[in-house]
Amino acid sequence: MDSVGRYDGKRVVITGGTSGIGLATAKALTAAGARVLVTGRTPASLAAAETELRPAGIVLANDAVTDIETLAERAAAEFGSVDLLVLNAGISLGASVADTSEAAYDEVFAVNAKAPFFTLQRFLPLMPPGSAVVLTTSVSNRKGIASTSVYSATKAALRSMTRTFARELIDRGIRVNAVSPGPVDTGILERSMPAEAAREFLSQIKADNPMHRFAEPSEVAKAIIFLAFEATYTTGAELPVDGGASQL
C-alpha cells in the first residue's frame, strides 16, 4: 500500500491489533517502516500476529479495560513517545433489547467506550505535537440495525468522543479522527452470536450494502493510515469506509 520506508521512525500503538482491521493496519505500517505495538487477548490471534509482524511489530497480550497502565508503560519503554494511537479494540453483541442482560451491556460499554477513553487519557503524556489518534466507530452508529442497540450505542459514543477529544487536544497539536467501517467480515460476530445466526445476519448485511460485498480489512487500514499521517488539516472527522451504506 505504501512505499518501503514511508513511515520510517513512526511509533504506533494499536489496541485490538492482532486480527482484522487492527492487524491489517499494523502489517501495512510495519511494511512501510513504522514500529508498531499491537494488543490482543486471544491466544491464537496473538501467536499469528507474532509471526506476521516480526521483527518490526511488538505483540502484547493485554486486556483493553484492565491493563491500560501496563500498555502505556510498555509503549513508553519501547518507544519513548507515540506518534499514532489507534483505538480499535472492541467487542460485538448481537441481541435484541429483550434478550440483553445487564452484564452483557456493561461489558460491551466497558470494552468499546470506557477503555478507549481512559487509554487516550493515559497516553496523552506520551503523545507529542504532530501526533494523531484514530478511533474505530461503525456505520451502525447512524443506522437502526436490529439486534445491535448496545453495540451501536457504544460506537455512537466514540463518534461523540472523537469530536470532543479533537477540540480539547487541538492546542496540543494532536489530531483526533475516526474511521467508520461498514460490513467487514472479521469473525467478530461469530464470537458473540450462534454461528447460524451470524451467517444469516452477515448475509443480510451484504445483500443490503450498495456494493453488495464486505470490505477487506486492508481497505479500512488504508483509511486509518490516511487519517493518521496524510490528513494533516483534518481533525474531529469520521471517515466512512462502508460501501456507501451510510450515504446511499
Side-chain angles (χ1 to χ4, degrees):
M1 177 176 60
D2 293 288
S3 60
V4 173
R6 183 178 181 87
Y7 299 120
D8 276 351
K10 296 298 185 184
R11 299 149 299 183
V12 180
V13 173
I14 304 174
T15 67
T18 59
S19 64
I21 293 167
L23 180 59
T25 305
K27 288 170 65 176
L29 286 169
T30 55
R35 297 181 64 203
V36 180
L37 168 60
V38 302
T39 71
R41 296 191 302 179
T42 306
S45 296
L46 289 162
E50 284 271 13
T51 299
E52 295 200 56
L53 296 178
R54 66 167 60 114
I58 302 162
V59 179
L60 178 65
N62 184 269
D63 185 281
V65 180
T66 62
D67 292 339
I68 294 171
E69 184 63 27
T70 300
L71 174 59
E73 289 177 355
R74 181 67 181 273
E78 295 285 350
F79 300 151
S81 58
V82 173
D83 299 298
L84 169 62
L85 176 63
V86 181
L87 297 171
N88 178 69
I91 59 175
S92 184
L93 175 65
S96 68
V97 175
D99 293 333
T100 299
S101 69
E102 185 174 356
Y105 179 102
D106 289 343
E107 181 185 16
V108 176
F109 263 90
V111 175
N112 290 7
K114 180 180 179 180
F117 183 97
F118 286 102
T119 300
L120 175 59
Q121 182 190 76
R122 178 60 183 84
F123 267 78
L124 285 177
L126 303 180
M127 303 191 72
S131 59
V133 180
V134 179
L135 298 91
T136 302
T137 61
S138 169
V139 66
S140 68
N141 71 13
R142 66 180 73 186
K143 295 179 71 71
I145 302 173
S147 299
T148 70
S149 58
V150 178
Y151 172 80
S152 298
T154 64
K155 294 303 185 176
L158 290 182
R159 176 63 186 106
S160 177
M161 288 180 195
T162 298
R163 290 190 175 98
T164 51
F165 290 161
R167 171 58 71 182
E168 289 189 22
L169 301 181
I170 198 166
D171 290 338
R172 293 180 179 231
I174 300 173
R175 293 181 303 105
V176 184
N177 292 291
V179 64
S180 177
V184 186
D185 191 4
T186 60
I188 188 172
L189 282 174
E190 288 85 346
R191 296 192 291 271
S192 62
M193 298 172 66
E196 182 60 30
R199 282 193 295 271
E200 290 181 5
F201 182 81
L202 291 169
S203 178
Q204 186 60 54
I205 292 294
K206 181 178 179 180
D208 290 343
N209 186 270
M211 289 191 179
H212 302 300
R213 69 174 180 88
F214 297 115
E216 294 294 328
S218 61
E219 293 177 296
V220 186
K222 291 176 184 178
I224 291 173
I225 294 169
F226 168 73
L227 290 171
F229 296 118
E230 311 301 331
T232 54
Y233 196 54
T234 301
T235 194
E238 182 185 54
L239 177 58
V241 187
D242 60 11
S246 62
Q247 310 297 321
L248 304 179

